[in-house]
Amino acid sequence: MEDILRYLLSGLSYGMLLFFMASGLSLILGVMGVLNLAHGSLYMIGAYIGLTLVQQAGLPWWLALAGAALAAAVIGVLMERLLLRALHRRYNQQVLLTLGLVYIFGNLALWIWGSYPLSGKPPEFLAGSVPMGHFDFPVYRLALLVLGLLIAAGLIWFQQKTRAGAIVRAGMDDRDMTLALGINYPLVCCSVFMLGAFLAGLAGFIGTPLLGASWNMAFPVLLSAMIVVVIGGVGRIEGTLLGALLIGLLDTLGKIFFPEIAQFLVYLAFILVLLWRPSGLLGRAPEEAGDAAAEPN
């Protein structure tokens, strides 16, 4: 029973890391209609910059975390303003452009940091373990759970209870009507893209003690995040959280009990959700998406 608890906590903590990554991708796709395949590269950038600030510049862990997230946010804003601004819902062009950015960022990382993977360490105040019966569980993984819940609560509050969140939801439903109301929707899109990039950079550095950093990590991370977004529902923070936790548990438990088919189980869950509910577990069906956005409180 205690082993099951340990496995569950490990899966949930990994799921929270997926949530950090996927929540930004979900908002960007839902609000802007931009399929940003370079989102995994923003995760990679956050990982490398955070490690550089800690290991070479000697900055405290929290400052390195802020620096990694802000660096990814700045690069994200430049991507949106200079490259993606005119490609709203033009998915073919988006895929080609952002796919090219993945290779550019990957080769830049290879040139700057080399081909050997780097690994991070938890900050000293989160480096211990908590006794749980006959096993000790890392404090860092527990902190991931708490931080993930706090970020999820903050994003849900923003999306559901604020005027800015109401504008974001309205833009998801009817972009043209939002523009007709005089709302500066391009600024909304830029802000959402910056937030998504910030969360990706945050996840990149936070994930280094678990997954490390390597120049070719963008695609595997992106694939996991996209599966989470599709399972949960595009643009729905609650759905992204649910999808991330489900995939985190399924991936972790699958590697423990069924290591030969662990990856297959993740894709099987993905396919079953698509067949049963194409809009995602908590996503709105097309006929529901046409409803008017809720008024802000």
Side-chain angles (χ1 to χ4, degrees):
M1 185 63 185
E2 290 181 348
D3 287 339
I4 295 297
L5 176 60
R6 179 174 58 186
Y7 301 152
L8 290 176
L9 288 174
S10 297
L12 291 174
S13 62
Y14 175 59
M16 282 301 182
L17 185 61
L18 290 178
F19 170 73
F20 295 147
M21 174 67 177
S23 56
L25 182 64
S26 178
L27 286 173
I28 290 171
L29 182 57
V31 174
M32 301 178 61
V34 170
L35 182 58
N36 180 24
L37 298 184
H39 201 72
S41 296
L42 296 173
Y43 177 98
M44 177 197 69
I45 289 169
Y48 270 122
I49 289 181
L51 289 176
T52 300
L53 293 176
V54 167
Q55 297 176 357
Q56 299 183 20
L59 293 182
W61 190 87
W62 283 110
L63 286 179
L65 177 63
L70 289 174
V74 169
I75 293 174
V77 169
L78 293 176
M79 287 170 52
E80 193 276 334
R81 291 285 90 181
L82 300 178
L83 301 174
L84 297 172
R85 184 179 182 181
L87 299 182
H88 177 79
R89 302 201 182 283
R90 296 167 63 182
Y91 295 111
N92 292 337
Q93 293 90 332
Q94 293 168 12
V95 168
L96 290 174
L97 175 60
T98 56
L99 184 62
L101 290 176
V102 171
Y103 287 103
I104 291 173
F105 285 130
N107 281 276
L108 284 174
L110 179 62
W111 176 53
I112 296 172
W113 289 285
S115 60
Y116 292 101
L118 303 179
S119 60
K121 296 180 180 179
E124 292 185 1
F125 60 93
L126 297 176
S129 298
V130 176
M132 293 186 176
H134 296 295
F135 72 92
D136 293 336
F137 195 77
V139 173
Y140 189 72
R141 284 185 174 269
L142 292 176
L144 278 180
L145 286 172
V146 175
L147 180 61
L149 290 174
L150 290 175
I151 290 179
L155 290 175
I156 292 172
W157 173 81
F158 166 78
Q159 193 175 43
Q160 300 295 332
K161 300 296 184 181
T162 66
R163 182 177 184 276
I167 293 173
V168 168
R169 287 183 285 121
M172 290 182 189
D173 291 335
D174 195 331
R175 180 176 184 268
D176 293 334
M177 181 59 72
T178 306
L179 287 168
L181 292 173
I183 294 172
N184 189 351
Y185 197 67
L187 178 61
V188 173
C189 290
C190 181
S191 301
V192 169
F193 203 98
M194 181 175 66
L195 175 62
F198 181 91
L199 291 172
L202 188 80
F205 182 54
I206 287 176
T208 54
L210 278 65
L211 304 178
S214 60
W215 67 275
N216 58 353
M217 70 190 302
F219 277 127
V221 170
L222 174 70
L223 184 58
S224 297
M226 291 184 68
I227 290 174
V228 167
V229 170
V230 171
I231 287 179
V234 174
R236 298 298 299 272
I237 297 300
E238 310 95 312
T240 304
L241 178 62
L242 176 60
L245 295 178
L246 287 176
I247 293 302
L249 286 171
L250 189 59
D251 181 78
T252 301
L253 296 177
K255 288 177 180 177
I256 292 171
F257 295 107
F258 309 102
E260 298 85 0
I261 60 170
Q263 197 64 35
F264 167 76
L265 293 176
V266 172
Y267 289 113
L268 178 62
F270 172 68
I271 292 170
L272 291 177
V273 170
L274 278 181
L275 292 175
W276 171 55
R277 188 172 173 82
S279 58
L281 294 177
L282 297 183
R284 288 184 295 176
E287 61 272 13
E288 297 172 337
D291 296 339
E295 291 294 330
N297 291 341

